[in-house]
Amino acid sequence: DGTSERNLYKMSMPGRFATQGLIRRAVDEGCTHMVMEITSQGALMFRHRFIELDTLIFTNISPEHIEAHGSYDNYLASKLSIAQNMRRSSKPTKTLIVNADDREAWRFLECRADKKVSYGIKTAEPYSIKQSGLEFSYEGKVLHSPLSGVFNLYNILAAATAAQEEGVPVGTIAKAVAAFSEIPGRVERIEAGQSFEVIVDYAHTPDSLRKLYEVFRPDPADKGGRRLIAVLGGTGGGRDAWKRQEMGRLADLYCDQIILTDEDPYDEDPQKIVEDVAVGITSKKHSIIMDRREAIGEAFKLAQPGDVVLITGKGTDPYIMGHNGAKTPWSDAAVAREELSKRLGR
């Protein structure tokens, strides 16, 4: 019925009691299907136990939370444990859907399941990826999506494959894909009548940041001088310090101007986090503005007609996490709208 609730747990996957409570509410309100993200850290803490899966979709493996897991192999093992745990499900048919293009796909395809289905970019050929959206082939039909980026094409293929396994007709899938225009915090376009684009995205790993930059980087054939302006944090304090310099390097590679700012320092020195990111920036203009609102406002001052401002790292996160568990209420999208209104004199 269109009802939505913000996740205020500051966790992609809440604890077992909260998760089971949500499932109970869904059943009581007449829901017949539920789609849930199960993370490697959630599996590490056994939050996936006692969730009876019909279907598991493996999208991709990208190094993350390595410090929490201890190594890449442990991280991968945590992901694989989700597939292994599906064996305990009481559901009559257990289906494993795997992105065949991922280098670790074979490990998941070796897991036991009643049915195994794979998908990949070749199943979408011919396809075109533009900033205005996607056009691709699926099961003999040409599908259109207002979403952009190869990562969204992969996500749509995963969802379409799962829907088809549940008996949803391809025609219905095509209509749903065409109608689905936005995911809050994921390539979310902020419109307030400004002459440049503003995008809020959760990208907080090198892989996700690179994929986002590739969507919006200027076309070499475009002589209009469009620029990418990045508002970039780091990674959360106390974790994944290895990726900070790499995130700075990617911004240096793809962006024209970079503003480094606070994100989620927790108990680490926020200035130190940002300086770690700055090490990777060697050729492009960059500045450090620790106040995140001020950083966003400065990006808008720099933006010229046709430019793209990318605000990354938070997405729909409801807080900036600070020292001793301090939580500062926050919304990148709301702050962006407020700062745009100021700039436009409204």
Side-chain angles (χ1 to χ4, degrees):
D1 63 0
T3 300
S4 65
E5 295 178 15
R6 289 188 75 188
N7 176 1
L8 299 177
Y9 290 102
K10 201 64 177 65
M11 297 182 287
S12 298
M13 187 181 188
R16 276 181 281 178
F17 289 107
T19 298
Q20 291 296 332
L22 177 62
I23 295 171
R24 179 73 264 167
R25 281 174 52 204
V27 171
D28 290 345
E29 293 181 23
C31 292
T32 59
H33 293 72
M34 173 178 280
V35 180
M36 178 178 295
E37 179 183 16
I38 300 179
T39 63
S40 65
Q41 283 193 300
L44 184 66
M45 299 174 185
F46 306 109
R47 294 176 187 160
H48 62 313
R49 294 293 177 88
F50 311 112
I51 298 175
E52 309 255 324
L53 297 176
D54 295 90
T55 301
L56 176 65
I57 303 173
F58 163 66
T59 54
N60 66 299
I61 287 286
S62 170
E64 191 176 1
H65 306 304
I66 300 303
E67 289 171 358
H69 291 284
S71 69
Y72 174 81
D73 287 341
N74 290 345
Y75 163 70
L76 178 59
S78 184
K79 288 277 192 178
L80 286 166
S81 75
I82 303 168
Q84 292 156 357
N85 186 69
M86 187 169 67
R87 297 202 305 265
R88 299 186 176 95
S89 173
S90 63
K91 300 300 175 68
T93 303
K94 294 174 276 293
T95 303
L96 187 59
I97 298 174
V98 176
N99 173 8
D101 294 340
D102 191 89
R103 66 177 184 174
E104 304 289 6
W106 65 275
R107 297 182 186 273
F108 286 84
L109 288 169
E110 283 188 340
C111 295
R112 285 169 52 191
D114 298 309
K115 189 172 184 181
K116 299 176 186 178
V117 183
S118 62
Y119 67 93
I121 202 74
K122 287 188 180 299
T123 64
E125 292 178 342
Y127 62 87
S128 65
I129 300 172
K130 301 176 182 177
Q131 285 190 32
S132 57
L134 304 167
E135 181 178 287
F136 60 98
S137 175
Y138 184 76
E139 295 292 325
K141 279 186 172 289
V142 177
L143 272 61
H144 300 268
S145 169
L147 303 179
S148 189
V150 68
F151 57 93
N152 272 321
L153 178 53
Y154 271 105
N155 289 339
I156 290 168
L157 290 172
T161 303
Q164 199 171 17
E165 287 300 313
E166 288 293 320
V168 179
V170 174
T172 302
I173 292 171
K175 290 178 183 176
V177 168
F180 194 79
S181 61
E182 185 176 87
I183 307 164
R186 305 275 183 161
V187 198
E188 181 177 357
R189 297 176 186 270
I190 308 299
E191 300 288 352
Q194 76 276 9
S195 60
F196 49 88
E197 286 190 82
V198 176
I199 307 295
V200 168
D201 192 87
Y202 184 53
H204 63 287
T205 66
D207 183 61
S208 60
L209 207 60
R210 176 181 55 79
K211 289 174 179 175
L212 181 71
Y213 289 157
E214 286 177 346
V215 172
F216 291 98
R217 66 179 171 182
D219 187 330
D222 179 12
K223 304 301 182 183
R226 180 169 65 90
R227 301 175 304 158
L228 290 189
I229 301 171
V231 178
L232 177 65
T235 183
R239 69 188 74 176
D240 291 341
W242 64 270
K243 68 184 180 183
R244 295 172 186 169
Q245 183 175 342
E246 178 64 8
M247 292 170 76
R249 188 191 70 79
L250 288 167
D252 190 57
L253 179 65
Y254 288 101
C255 302
D256 298 285
Q257 289 190 293
I258 305 157
I259 300 174
L260 301 178
T261 190
D262 197 13
E263 193 167 294
D264 282 313
Y266 289 88
D267 290 323
E268 195 172 346
D269 178 2
Q271 185 77 28
K272 171 66 166 56
I273 295 173
V274 167
E275 288 172 356
D276 286 348
V277 178
V279 171
I281 304 172
T282 58
S283 64
K284 299 291 175 60
K285 293 180 181 179
H286 74 278
S287 57
I288 295 176
I289 302 175
M290 294 307 296
D291 183 288
R292 194 171 177 90
R293 177 183 287 274
E294 186 181 337
I296 291 170
E298 180 63 21
F300 296 162
K301 289 178 186 176
L302 294 171
Q304 299 296 318
D307 288 349
V308 180
V309 177
L310 297 172
I311 305 169
T312 58
K314 297 292 292 175
T316 57
D317 273 2
Y319 308 108
I320 291 177
M321 304 300 293
H323 187 64
N324 284 336
K327 294 181 179 180
T328 302
W330 187 259
S331 166
D332 268 354
V335 168
R337 291 188 184 96
E338 290 164 8
E339 292 301 310
L340 284 170
S341 293
K342 288 180 190 176
R343 180 164 175 76
L344 297 170
R346 295 175 184 168

